[in-house]
Amino acid sequence: MDMDMASSGMFVPPQTLGTVLCCICGVPMEPNPANMCARCLRSRVDITEGLPRHAAIVHCPECSSWLQPPRSWLRAELESPALLSLCLRRIHKPLSRLVRLVHGEFVWTEPHSKRIHVKLRVQREALHGAILEQSHLVEFTVQDRLCESCSRAQASPDQWVATVQLRQHVPHRRTFFFLEQLILRHGAAARAVRIKETSSGVDFFFGHRSHAMKFVEFVSGVVPVRRRSDKQLVSHDTKSNNYNYKYTFSVEICPICREDLICLPPKVSNSLGNLGPLVICAKVSNSILLVDPETLRTAFLDADEYWRTPFGALLSSRQLVEFIVLDVKEKTPEVTVSGSRYCLARVEVARMSDFGQNDTTFDVKTHLGHLLKEGDVVLGYDLYSANSNDVEMDKYKGFELPYAILIKKSYEEKRQRKHGKQRKWRLKRMQMEVDDGARGRGSEEKRNNEYEEFLRELEENPTGMLDQMTIYKNKDHRPSETASMLSGDDDLPLDELISKLELSDDEEGEEDEDMAQ
Amino acid sequence: MATRIQFENSCDVGVFSKLTNAYCLVAIGGSESFYSAFEAELADVIPVVKTSIGGTRIIGRLCAGNKNGLLLPHTTTDQELQHLRNSLPDQVVVQRIDERLSALGNCIACNDHVALTHTDLDKETEEVIADVLGVEIFRQTIAGNILVGSNCTFSNRGGLVHPYTSIQELDELSTLLQVPLVAGTVNRGSEVIAAGMIVNDWTAFCGADTTATELSVIESVFKLREAQPSAIVDEMRKSLIDTYV
């Protein structure tokens, strides 16, 4: 009634509630619906009657996760909010039926006691409508049980469910070195249980099919691949009709690599607009860039297009021969084709083996006109003396082979100067199991040479390749006094690239990668 | 002296009985122990009358009275009226009134000099009350409740009101009634004071659930502890003697 009077604008004098005596103990208190002081009320009425005092939760000691029935496992630390919500959910039904929860917190218990104490403050209406608040302790017993994934991992630690078999049928391993760096950079093989090297490829083993799928998608985005997948039944639960399979993804990388000389089959040549049958592969990403060195025409071949009519390389970078440039004539202006600069020119070259010996020179058309000058050493394919058994070439009637096709400039001299000096930078290697039986003797040395070649290639061709990898500072590198005099323009702009990176020997394979660019 | 009693296992004794300085009314149909409790205290002083009003036993809440008179609702039958007229002393005027609010015990709280009434009581009724009971009438609410007859009880010496009564209201009422008032409970925290107890100038009866604290509050505010004739004389003696010889 006072409220109505006040809201209607009448003056209502301020009212102070007096004190009455608690009817049980006689202590003065503010009147409440029960007219008993809080202590008397609490001693008469126990509002936590009927609330659970004990409950059990299940914990996996391996991955420190907690079971949320019926099936899911939740990662949580002791005394974390996630664990608190889990505990409250366990006793939610009886709790919400009887009382209202106001506050909940953990009481510290010794971790190895396997008990978790949760103190709750609950509110409930006691007699005569008075709302009483009381604290209530619930004790959770922690039961240890291995979760499914941990038990599976423990039963057979190398158990894999899916495998990706990457293969490339070429005699060298350049692609795999490059892929290794890419994978490390993007962490695509982070979920791999095991990585194994075989003679013409690498096998990746995963615990889940989805991880393997993700990896396969990643690889098909960076190199042109052909893939197929298979599955093998491992076990079958007749009651619940659960089938466990082992999945295998067979991924074949196309055998065309950078700097390969290719003779296109007539069909492919026609479909690309009569691109001259001899082409150089300039770049391999998820599509292949083919460049005709004589006309500077380019074409992109998608993975699908390639695998429809697959072809091999005529000559690959193993067969590169050194030439020396004697004369550069008829330079045309430079053009930029598909992001790279080319310049058609006619040059007179002689093989290094012929150069002091005899007068054999070749007059060739080349696309490297902008780089070459007299006296340069060039690497190229010697078609004059090459004996090719290519089926495709025979299909072309009356086709005249050029004497040589120049591919790239050689930096051998600079390399000689730098010989023995360590690089300022180095790359991380992936931990791989090596299948020793698949290779023969001497392959260790061959491997090291190949890797050295790869690193050299990176040094000499920094654009494009190094953008995709992460490089680290070589801690053992000691800059010598003469380095400053000799540092040429083909030195990598190291300061930009590796400003804050460090990779020590024992951290290899464990540290997270850091990015400077 | 305050006594704890029960009517048929109910602690609401104020519902089934009415106590004034001149008479006491009790409902029929209770056990003999109920009556004996009253008679033990009151038999030689004032008449204890068994009655019903309108055929019901809730006589405490239906009628209102003091030593001067008794007011009955319109539901009272003629036999009951006659029975009461016969049983009560002659100076008590028994009157039946026509009032829409027929639970007069809930609407009127009175002692021998002052009465508090329900705010919606008729004007004529008010005049009748003033006439029959010989009291001054104040329309009031107690703790926001209009049923003043249930929320407070007062005698000529003190009064007990609803526990939610604010201090300002207590002061106001105290000034009106000219008796000391206290906010308290009866019957283990029950706020309906008049239903839980009946009181006159020297004795009180409370429900059996009344706790010791409540009882002590009642005894102190209604001044029942020294309610013996001898105690009054002793006090007077102290004030009379001024010199020792």
Side-chain angles (χ1 to χ4, degrees):
Chain A
M1 189 137 153
D2 277 352
M3 286 282 281
D4 299 335
M5 283 168 75
S7 56
S8 69
M10 277 171 72
F11 170 69
V12 175
Q15 312 276 8
T16 15
L17 223 51
T19 47
V20 290
L21 298 186
C22 161
C23 63
I24 311 276
C25 58
V27 64
M29 56 163 211
E30 287 239 337
N32 66 44
N35 285 318
M36 287 190 234
C37 63
R39 291 169 80 190
C40 291
L41 202 56
R42 221 172 281 147
S43 66
R44 310 256 148 209
V45 181
D46 181 16
I47 60 171
T48 63
E49 207 178 301
L51 285 186
R53 279 174 217 284
H54 297 274
I57 47 176
V58 181
H59 167 69
C60 172
E62 285 287 323
C63 53
S64 98
S65 47
W66 307 82
L67 177 67
Q68 198 171 337
R71 277 257 202 112
S72 53
W73 291 80
L74 211 78
R75 280 220 65 160
E77 296 290 321
L78 265 185
E79 307 212 353
S80 61
L83 187 60
L84 187 64
S85 68
L86 188 79
C87 295
L88 290 178
R89 241 174 280 146
R90 293 280 292 149
I91 54 171
H92 176 67
K93 262 248 192 87
L95 204 70
S96 61
R97 205 171 8 109
L98 293 170
V99 299
R100 196 178 76 139
L101 185 64
V102 175
H103 177 73
E105 61 184 4
F106 282 111
V107 177
W108 185 81
T109 46
E110 196 77 43
H112 64 76
S113 66
K114 301 283 179 205
R115 300 281 184 277
I116 295 178
H117 284 177
V118 178
K119 188 150 79 155
L120 308 166
R121 257 196 280 139
V122 293
Q123 273 182 359
R124 191 176 173 180
E125 191 188 299
L127 44 104
H128 301 303
I131 296 183
L132 214 61
E133 193 175 288
Q134 198 175 329
S135 78
H136 176 66
L137 192 75
V138 183
E139 185 180 303
F140 287 90
T141 308
V142 176
Q143 293 163 356
D144 274 344
R145 197 208 302 177
L146 275 185
C147 64
E148 284 126 20
S149 41
C150 288
S151 58
R152 226 179 290 139
Q154 219 189 45
S156 48
D158 288 333
Q159 180 77 328
W160 55 269
V161 173
T163 176
V164 177
Q165 293 170 333
L166 268 188
R167 298 283 180 271
Q168 190 186 31
H169 299 294
V170 281
H172 59 85
R173 294 188 78 90
R174 278 160 62 209
T175 321
F176 288 109
F177 292 140
F178 177 61
L179 263 182
E180 182 188 338
Q181 293 305 317
L182 267 188
I183 289 168
L184 280 173
R185 156 82 173 263
H186 290 102
R191 304 282 204 118
V193 169
R194 211 160 52 121
I195 304 173
K196 192 164 139 183
E197 227 179 273
T198 55
S199 56
S200 56
V202 186
D203 286 346
F204 294 84
F205 298 93
F206 296 90
H208 282 270
R209 183 176 176 271
S210 50
H211 301 159
M213 276 297 299
K214 190 166 170 209
F215 182 75
V216 167
E217 294 297 330
F218 171 75
V219 171
S220 25
V222 290
V223 280
V225 299
R226 170 165 73 171
R227 59 186 174 169
R228 55 173 276 168
S229 71
D230 288 297
K231 62 187 184 196
Q232 177 192 17
L233 184 66
V234 172
S235 67
H236 169 203
D237 181 359
T238 45
K239 293 279 162 61
S240 62
N241 278 339
N242 279 345
Y243 297 83
N244 287 340
Y245 290 98
K246 274 199 176 169
Y247 302 92
T248 307
F249 295 89
S250 173
V251 177
E252 192 188 330
I253 306 178
C254 90
I256 309 290
C257 301
R258 251 167 29 104
E259 299 163 5
D260 277 357
L261 184 69
I262 303 159
C263 182
L264 291 174
K267 270 221 184 100
V268 181
S269 176
N270 285 341
S271 70
L272 292 176
N274 271 336
L275 198 59
L278 278 182
V279 287
I280 303 173
C281 172
K283 205 155 89 158
V284 174
S285 63
N286 60 340
S287 54
I288 308 167
L289 174 63
L290 301 169
V291 177
D292 184 349
E294 301 199 351
T295 58
L296 285 191
R297 274 176 60 193
T298 55
F300 275 100
L301 263 189
D302 225 353
D304 294 330
E305 288 171 31
Y306 172 79
W307 286 110
R308 236 173 275 151
T309 43
F311 47 85
L314 187 63
L315 293 170
S316 84
S317 52
R318 282 269 178 83
Q319 281 100 21
L320 282 173
V321 169
E322 280 180 350
F323 291 84
I324 188 156
V325 175
L326 300 174
D327 194 14
V328 179
K329 34 194 183 203
E330 287 180 26
K331 254 168 98 160
T332 57
E334 248 177 63
V335 288
T336 311
V337 175
S338 305
S340 329
R341 293 184 358 221
Y342 298 119
C343 168
L344 262 185
R346 292 181 68 89
V347 287
E348 203 182 322
V349 294
R351 285 180 291 196
M352 282 299 271
S353 51
D354 293 338
F355 187 50
Q357 259 63 315
N358 49 33
D359 281 328
T360 324
T361 61
F362 302 112
D363 212 3
V364 289
K365 236 187 184 173
T366 175
H367 62 289
L368 300 173
H370 60 301
L371 290 175
L372 300 176
K373 38 187 207 303
E374 270 183 38
D376 273 344
V377 179
V378 195
L379 288 170
Y381 293 111
D382 184 9
L383 289 171
Y384 179 71
S385 53
N387 193 2
S388 13
N389 271 332
D390 205 50
V391 179
E392 311 293 340
M393 266 217 303
D394 298 338
K395 289 199 190 145
Y396 289 99
K397 305 254 164 37
F399 172 59
E400 220 181 82
L401 280 177
Y403 291 122
I405 296 197
L406 306 178
I407 299 292
K408 60 179 181 181
K409 208 164 140 177
S410 164
Y411 295 95
E412 191 58 47
E413 279 187 19
K414 282 231 176 90
R415 226 180 281 154
Q416 300 281 351
R417 265 183 280 147
K418 275 202 180 158
H419 178 67
K421 291 207 188 83
Q422 284 186 320
R423 291 196 179 79
K424 277 195 211 161
W425 55 274
R426 59 191 213 157
L427 295 171
K428 206 166 166 184
R429 297 304 306 275
M430 205 151 44
Q431 303 271 46
M432 284 199 238
E433 261 175 46
V434 168
D435 193 10
D436 284 317
R439 295 178 290 130
R441 276 175 265 119
S443 51
E444 182 79 28
E445 204 185 298
K446 195 167 78 159
R447 272 304 200 75
N448 290 341
N449 286 344
E450 274 187 347
Y451 194 61
E452 186 59 39
E453 285 269 340
F454 173 64
L455 291 179
R456 254 185 237 152
E457 204 183 309
L458 278 184
E459 257 184 335
E460 288 156 14
N461 182 11
T463 56
M465 299 261 280
L466 269 183
D467 285 346
Q468 298 170 305
M469 356 185 144
T470 327
I471 62 175
Y472 296 88
K473 217 169 176 174
N474 188 355
K475 268 172 139 177
D476 302 328
H477 170 74
R478 309 256 172 274
S480 60
E481 291 149 13
T482 49
S484 51
M485 292 186 344
L486 296 175
S487 59
D489 44 3
D490 53 71
D491 252 7
L492 296 168
L494 285 175
D495 293 327
E496 309 163 10
L497 296 176
I498 56 169
S499 50
K500 282 181 196 130
L501 297 177
E502 290 232 333
L503 188 67
S504 64
D505 268 318
D506 38 23
E507 289 170 331
E508 201 169 351
E510 290 169 19
E511 277 263 317
D512 275 356
E513 295 170 7
D514 212 344
M515 266 316 304
Q517 55 203 60
Chain B
M1 220 36 248
T3 327
R4 285 185 214 165
I5 53 174
Q6 249 187 337
F7 179 80
E8 280 187 3
N9 210 30
S10 162
C11 299
D12 292 323
V13 292
V15 175
F16 300 104
S17 52
K18 185 127 212 108
L19 182 62
T20 66
N21 286 329
Y23 54 87
C24 175
L25 303 176
V26 287
I28 52 174
S31 64
E32 281 306 314
S33 58
F34 188 60
Y35 311 125
S36 61
F38 280 99
E39 275 154 17
E41 284 283 323
L42 308 167
D44 37 352
V45 188
I46 53 175
V48 178
V49 182
K50 282 194 211 168
T51 180
S52 67
I53 294 183
T56 65
R57 299 190 294 177
I58 49 170
I59 59 170
R61 302 291 93 221
L62 289 180
C63 64
N66 61 9
K67 73 172 187 338
N68 300 322
L70 176 66
L71 291 169
L72 298 169
H74 62 87
T75 53
T76 321
T77 61
D78 293 331
Q79 287 95 329
E80 290 159 354
L81 185 60
Q82 197 55 45
H83 168 66
L84 278 169
R85 281 228 175 93
N86 295 342
S87 325
L88 293 179
D90 293 328
Q91 62 266 44
V92 179
V93 180
V94 180
Q95 177 85 355
R96 182 168 59 182
I97 56 178
D98 237 334
E99 164 63 55
R100 181 180 61 96
L101 306 170
S102 54
L104 298 174
N106 284 338
C107 299
I108 305 166
C110 61
N111 63 4
D112 293 334
H113 311 288
V114 192
L116 294 177
T117 61
H118 193 287
T119 49
D120 296 339
L121 223 55
D122 290 342
K123 217 60 184 105
E124 298 95 55
T125 315
E126 204 178 308
E127 284 165 17
V128 171
I129 296 169
D131 201 27
V132 168
L133 299 183
V135 289
E136 209 180 324
I137 296 185
F138 299 104
R139 286 174 192 253
Q140 268 293 333
T141 63
I142 295 187
N145 215 307
I146 47 175
L147 292 177
V148 290
S150 0
N151 287 330
C152 79
T153 314
F154 54 97
S155 70
N156 294 323
R157 311 185 66 184
L160 188 64
V161 293
H162 191 283
Y164 276 10
T165 316
S166 63
I167 297 179
Q168 288 86 354
E169 217 176 333
L170 268 180
D171 287 338
E172 188 189 335
L173 287 169
S174 196
T175 332
L176 285 177
L177 304 175
Q178 294 293 312
V179 293
L181 292 175
V182 114
T185 65
V186 78
N187 272 345
R188 194 182 268 266
S190 167
E191 295 145 354
V192 195
I193 314 291
M197 60 175 282
I198 47 175
V199 66
N200 70 5
D201 284 346
W202 67 88
T203 186
F205 294 91
C206 309
D209 272 348
T210 312
T211 59
T213 317
E214 290 167 336
L215 215 56
S216 73
V217 168
I218 289 167
E219 284 185 354
S220 73
V221 78
F222 288 110
K223 301 193 182 49
L224 302 171
R225 286 209 192 97
E226 15 4 78
Q228 316 286 346
S230 52
I232 299 172
V233 174
D234 283 340
E235 273 201 28
M236 277 174 54
R237 189 172 290 142
K238 277 193 206 127
S239 58
L240 289 172
I241 297 174
D242 40 2
T243 52
Y244 280 106
V245 178

